[in-house]
Amino acid sequence: RVYKPEFPLKYGCNPQQKPARILSLLNTNLPFTVLNGTPGYINLLDAANAWLLVKELREATGLAAASSFKHVSPAGAAVAVPLKDVECAAYEVTPEAAAKLTPSALAYLRARNADP
């Protein structure tokens, strides 16, 4: 196999380590794009794990889903179901604003707030 360097990571597993790199097979593209910043190794593992969980939730429920991972452990997962008034208060969002959220945004709001 022949690999090509794609981009450096912020650091390896620990900040004192020298940067690791993401490689892809020659003549192939990575299955993702980094839109902002420089991810670390753990960030990429979190993203891959979150994607798998969201995919499974979506397939099982048919609803938009979101998940939150912190250091390769799930911190929250949710599907897009309407917020009750008590949840709006807890999440600091008005019922009017909650009603305007897209299904993905609603699932994300629930997933991120599952881990206070």
Side-chain angles (χ1 to χ4, degrees):
R1 293 183 179 192
V2 179
Y3 296 94
K4 68 176 179 174
E6 292 289 344
F7 58 86
L9 295 173
K10 189 168 30 180
Y11 47 80
C13 274
N14 298 297
Q16 75 274 10
Q17 293 176 317
K18 55 184 187 169
R21 294 183 303 164
I22 290 295
L23 306 174
S24 65
L25 287 173
L26 192 60
N27 300 320
T28 63
N29 294 319
L30 291 174
F32 61 88
T33 301
V34 177
L35 299 177
N36 188 24
T38 304
Y41 175 69
I42 300 299
N43 300 124
L44 292 178
L45 292 178
D46 286 347
N49 287 328
W51 182 82
L52 288 170
L53 179 55
V54 166
K55 183 177 180 291
E56 188 173 325
L57 278 170
R58 173 78 178 196
E59 289 171 356
T61 66
L63 298 171
S67 65
S68 173
F69 274 70
K70 292 181 182 175
H71 304 283
V72 298
S73 297
V79 293
V81 294
L83 295 174
K84 297 177 181 159
D85 288 343
V86 68
E87 292 168 322
C88 286
Y91 299 161
E92 298 178 348
V93 62
T94 65
E96 297 77 27
K100 294 178 185 176
L101 293 174
T102 65
S104 294
L106 179 57
Y108 178 77
L109 177 69
R110 287 181 165 283
R112 287 295 291 162
N113 282 292
D115 180 35

